[in-house]
Amino acid sequence: MARPLKTGLEYFGLDCKLDDNFTMIQNDFGLKGFAIVIKLYQMIYGEYGYYCEWNKNSLLRFLSVNHLGSCDENLVGDIVASCIKRGIFSKEIYDRYRILTSRGIQKRYFAALSRRTAIEVRKDLLLVSVPKNAIIVDENSK
């Protein structure tokens, strides 16, 4: 029996020098803001690899998994909104699908999977060119 295709990553790279958008998140929200963005990246890269759904249920799950109290719900929402405003996450994709992703996330994801024989991707969420080993799936076929 064939092994199912793994979508997420076991680990992802983090640059030592991050761009100014991350600096602004840290300026606005302190180290907690920076940590929450990195935890969001872990969620994105660990689940579907290049995106994650972001709604009330995923927010509550995020709070629970990361041992954040319900009082942090507004803080996380404000950080996500700031990330969208600053381009850390794609505003277009978020507004259309309530999904967190970006060109940078997708670029790093596909680079990490360059040796895989096949990668399933949703065409409607793509912000970058897909590699040759990508299998385009329709949103409804998921």
Side-chain angles (χ1 to χ4, degrees):
M1 187 172 213
R3 202 173 177 189
L5 288 176
K6 180 170 174 33
T7 54
L9 300 176
E10 293 295 321
Y11 64 92
F12 65 95
L14 182 64
D15 294 336
C16 291
K17 171 73 173 113
L18 298 171
D19 67 20
D20 290 340
N21 293 319
F22 281 90
T23 302
M24 296 309 295
I25 295 295
Q26 191 169 327
N27 285 343
D28 293 346
F29 301 99
L31 285 175
K32 197 167 192 177
F34 177 81
I36 286 172
V37 175
I38 299 306
K39 295 303 275 182
L40 287 167
Y41 271 21
Q42 286 181 312
M43 188 169 104
I44 292 167
Y45 286 120
E47 287 184 17
Y48 297 113
Y50 64 100
Y51 74 93
C52 75
E53 295 174 356
W54 191 250
N55 53 41
K56 183 69 170 180
N57 288 339
S58 55
L59 169 61
L60 293 176
R61 190 181 65 202
F62 181 83
L63 292 171
S64 175
V65 166
N66 293 294
H67 308 288
L68 298 166
S70 60
C71 61
D72 288 320
E73 188 174 329
N74 290 334
L75 174 65
V76 172
D78 291 346
I79 291 168
V80 168
S82 186
C83 287
I84 292 167
K85 182 178 126 196
R86 297 186 187 290
I88 292 172
F89 299 124
S90 167
K91 180 175 177 13
E92 175 189 347
I93 298 293
Y94 179 77
D95 287 346
R96 188 177 303 156
Y97 302 107
R98 293 297 184 246
I99 283 179
L100 301 179
T101 190
S102 71
R103 295 179 78 77
I105 289 168
Q106 292 182 13
K107 194 168 86 173
R108 286 185 292 278
Y109 175 72
F110 292 127
L113 298 186
S114 63
R115 294 177 13 155
R116 284 195 189 168
T117 56
I119 309 166
E120 285 189 4
V121 295
R122 281 183 48 185
K123 184 177 183 177
D124 58 331
L125 301 180
L126 292 176
L127 298 168
V128 298
S129 299
V130 296
K132 292 180 175 133
N133 56 343
I135 300 166
I136 305 292
V137 294
D138 185 280
E139 176 186 4
N140 297 324
S141 67
K142 274 283 194 194

